[in-house]
Amino acid sequence: MSLPRRALILLVLMLASPLLSLGAARAQDEVAVYKAAVEASFAKWLQALWPDAEAMGISRAVFDANVKGLKLVWALPHLVYPDPAAPGGPPLPKVLADQMKPSRQPEFEPPAGYFNAGTLNALAASGRSRMAQLAPQLAAMQKEYSVPASIVVAIWGRETGFGKVDMPFDALSAIATQGFMGRRPDEFRNELLVALKILQEQHATRAMMKSSWAGAMGYTQFLPSDFDKYGVDFDGDGKRDIWGTVVDALASTANSLHSQGWNGTETWGYEVKLPDKFDCTLQGPDKALPIAEWVKLGVARVKDRPFPQERLNDQAFLVLPAGLKGPAFLATNNFSVLKLYNNSDVYAIFVGHVADMISQNAPAEFVGTWQPVESFPRDRIQRFQEVLVAQGYDVGKVDGLAGFKTRRTIGVEEKKRGLPLSCYPSSALVNAVLKEASAAAN
Ligand code: CA
């Protein structure tokens, strides 16, 4: 009797699988041994925090209750696994080392994807109804902190979808993991201590302190130190509650923007139209000029609107998220204040634009169009940046993302090579630069 074909395949698979999985099982053991060694080193690291915690007024009881038994959250993105696990400990297994390669990280998204009209319209519509529901409180807030309510509401929408996004992590675990093996360990070590201080002072319970992977908490995503510096009790119940009280969270955000230099008489920025073949290397906050000077260079507001006469002396800088292949903006210092909240041009534009949609019924679409641009894996852009740095350029952070310093360096190179000016990565330029660098190395 012959076996049906499907059963035969199954049988072959069953026979082969122990052989196939032997290697996989060994790799799994290796990872388990490695992780156990890292956890042991993490437990020591936690205990070593005690003197600093004590100096901040944290009691031994609060320290022990919250630090003992804390485990690393291996699922967090962008971790830097120690190699070896600890001095004299097992080396980093290959499977984990591979996870850290830039090629395994997502491509950087072209800016257009950030400004989906459906998302913008939905956020603005919800934002408007929140503005109506909270009108008296928001008016009081705006008076107190000189930050438009629409900006604060836009941040609330952007950060947590008005509180709808679940915070999946125990904040202490996420923050401790970032402090032990994240990209900015010193910063997060301090955040962990401040998180303990929050618990010590009973502003929140441990159960309330849920966070994103980056340790940000509450309706508007504050790190513990943000809460410590800017958290306010706005509803007057005696508690600064960014976790469960919307008006406290929103007022805390307004307070943080105000404290970091928000100018209440000024907008965040303007969408502008550039003259043809405009020199896109003029972008960036360090190339700010009075608005009147930009006007002389031919920069105009879209829809034939004039710049407000009383603002012509304000310093403003050019922001071109997609180089000359997308909408252009003149940004004020308030834009830089928004970037302190989240250090990204597209984030600041997003928040400013949603605020304009809420308060002025601005349409979701910009006047300028996002033209098609090429996508690149981050490690390719990172390599490109490394080569540019070796040639003496300042490209900002070498991170595989095209920030304004990388974008304008691209413009300089495009001019030098007689390529069409775009100030945005193109394979024509990236390939040429990388090819020359590898030819020079050989
Ligand atoms: Ca309160």
Side-chain angles (χ1 to χ4, degrees):
M1 192 181 101
S2 72
L3 285 163
R5 190 177 154 75
R6 199 183 299 163
L8 191 66
I9 291 170
L10 198 66
L11 183 69
V12 170
L13 282 177
M14 281 165 64
L15 289 171
S17 65
L19 293 172
L20 284 175
S21 63
L22 207 63
R26 193 173 304 140
Q28 241 173 32
D29 286 349
E30 221 183 305
V31 168
V33 168
Y34 169 82
K35 284 190 173 177
V38 176
E39 291 281 3
S41 148
F42 174 58
K44 280 188 203 145
W45 179 84
L46 287 172
Q47 285 310 315
L49 292 170
W50 168 244
D52 287 350
E54 188 179 29
M56 281 175 75
I58 294 153
S59 73
R60 188 78 219 189
V62 166
F63 184 81
D64 284 345
N66 292 288
V67 163
K68 245 185 203 155
L70 218 50
K71 290 274 175 272
L72 288 165
V73 188
W74 291 88
L76 299 186
H78 313 308
L79 295 176
V80 185
Y81 302 136
D83 187 17
L92 177 64
K94 184 174 178 306
V95 45
L96 290 180
D98 284 350
Q99 282 175 21
M100 289 198 302
K101 286 187 182 159
S103 59
R104 290 286 293 273
Q105 291 165 18
E107 295 187 344
F108 75 84
E109 200 187 353
Y114 210 89
F115 297 97
N116 176 284
T119 309
L120 289 165
N121 280 318
L123 277 181
S126 293
R128 273 183 223 110
S129 74
R130 300 301 200 286
M131 291 275 283
Q133 284 159 13
L134 296 170
Q137 295 97 320
L138 287 170
M141 226 175 269
Q142 190 164 323
K143 202 168 160 221
E144 174 93 24
Y145 302 108
S146 305
V147 177
S150 56
I151 287 282
V152 173
V153 170
I155 290 176
W156 179 23
R158 168 70 210 173
E159 293 294 334
T160 61
F162 307 103
K164 287 213 182 85
V165 173
D166 270 340
M167 292 294 117
F169 299 108
D170 166 52
L172 251 64
S173 303
I175 290 167
T177 301
Q178 297 283 1
F180 181 71
M181 56 177 186
R183 304 258 155 152
R184 304 195 308 265
D186 295 343
E187 196 182 318
F188 277 92
R189 184 183 185 278
N190 183 59
E191 293 295 346
L192 180 57
L193 292 166
V194 181
L196 290 169
K197 187 176 161 212
I198 291 172
L199 288 162
Q200 171 77 36
E201 293 173 359
Q202 299 185 327
H203 298 292
T205 63
R206 178 74 179 273
M208 285 161 72
M209 288 176 66
K210 297 281 184 207
S211 77
S212 68
W213 65 268
M217 308 178 295
Y219 293 106
T220 53
Q221 295 288 273
F222 266 28
L223 283 167
S225 63
D226 297 323
F227 172 83
D228 200 44
K229 277 183 274 190
Y230 309 121
V232 290
D233 167 27
F234 204 72
D235 68 352
D237 70 348
K239 285 192 169 147
R240 299 190 275 153
D241 177 17
I242 59 164
W243 300 273
T245 305
V246 168
V247 290
D248 282 6
L250 299 187
S252 299
T253 291
N255 185 32
S256 98
L257 298 176
H258 171 75
S259 304
Q260 296 181 90
W262 185 277
N263 177 348
T265 66
E266 193 168 56
T267 179
W268 63 274
Y270 308 88
E271 188 186 350
V272 294
K273 244 172 81 177
L274 304 178
D276 270 356
K277 305 211 169 102
F278 192 78
D279 184 356
C280 52
T281 65
L282 294 177
Q283 67 183 300
D286 51 353
K287 303 210 169 183
L289 292 171
I291 289 176
E293 294 298 313
W294 289 112
V295 172
K296 280 187 203 156
L297 291 171
V299 176
R301 266 183 98 181
V302 294
K303 296 180 182 166
D304 297 324
R305 276 179 293 194
F307 290 103
Q309 196 63 33
E310 70 279 15
R311 307 260 52 116
L312 287 176
N313 292 325
D314 287 359
Q315 293 282 317
F317 58 94
L318 194 58
V319 181
L320 302 172
L324 295 177
K325 292 173 171 279
F329 303 88
L330 268 190
T332 68
N333 186 57
N334 286 344
F335 183 92
S336 303
V337 174
L338 285 175
K339 280 186 71 174
L340 294 172
Y341 210 94
N342 189 334
N343 188 20
S344 145
D345 283 346
V346 284
Y347 174 86
I349 294 169
F350 188 100
V351 165
H353 185 54
V354 170
D356 288 351
M357 290 174 72
I358 291 172
S359 61
Q360 302 158 28
N361 266 314
E365 288 81 12
F366 296 110
V367 172
T369 46
W370 300 105
Q371 296 161 37
V373 291
E374 296 172 70
S375 287
F376 295 87
R378 279 181 71 165
D379 58 340
R380 189 149 181 88
I381 295 297
Q382 195 165 323
R383 179 78 198 109
F384 173 66
Q385 290 173 318
E386 284 162 6
V387 171
L388 293 172
V389 168
Q391 292 173 4
Y393 283 115
D394 178 7
V395 301
K397 211 167 153 199
V398 177
D399 55 4
L401 303 172
F404 74 88
K405 286 185 177 172
T406 296
R407 296 196 298 265
R408 71 188 183 201
T409 301
I410 289 171
V412 172
E413 275 294 310
E414 285 172 334
K415 281 194 217 170
K416 220 161 88 181
R417 292 159 186 266
L419 290 167
L421 193 59
S422 75
C423 289
Y424 198 79
S426 66
S427 45
L429 180 67
V430 172
N431 293 348
V433 167
L434 292 181
K435 206 169 151 193
E436 285 163 21
S438 77
N442 290 330

